[in-house]
Amino acid sequence: EYRAHGCVFSIGVMHEHFNALAVPIRPVDGGPVHGLSVAGLASIWPREKLQGVAAELTTIAHDLCTVESAV
């Protein structure tokens, strides 16, 4: 899923009423990889809504990599 979308979804995996989305933070300087995620109740955050957030979360992760490498 990461290769296809650049993120990973957890839809009802940890708990049937809990969904999450995560993207990696990969520093350009080769530092350790971290994760950035959002999660919530499945009734409020269905997969379709999380898919809408995926591009924004990926952009934030990219920006954090840029900031981290500049520090």
Side-chain angles (χ1 to χ4, degrees), residues 3-71:
R3 287 184 179 156
H5 302 287
C7 59
V8 178
F9 294 92
S10 174
I11 306 301
V13 174
M14 293 172 47
H15 188 282
E16 66 180 299
H17 300 291
F18 187 78
N19 292 340
L21 161 69
V23 297
I25 300 174
R26 296 180 179 274
V28 294
D29 65 1
V33 176
H34 301 282
L36 182 62
S37 65
V38 295
L41 292 173
S43 61
I44 299 171
W45 290 95
R47 183 182 184 98
E48 296 76 25
K49 189 169 184 179
L50 288 174
Q51 286 173 322
V53 174
E56 295 176 48
L57 201 65
T58 301
T59 299
I60 292 168
H62 179 269
D63 292 347
L64 287 172
C65 289
T66 303
V67 169
E68 187 174 317
S69 65
V71 174

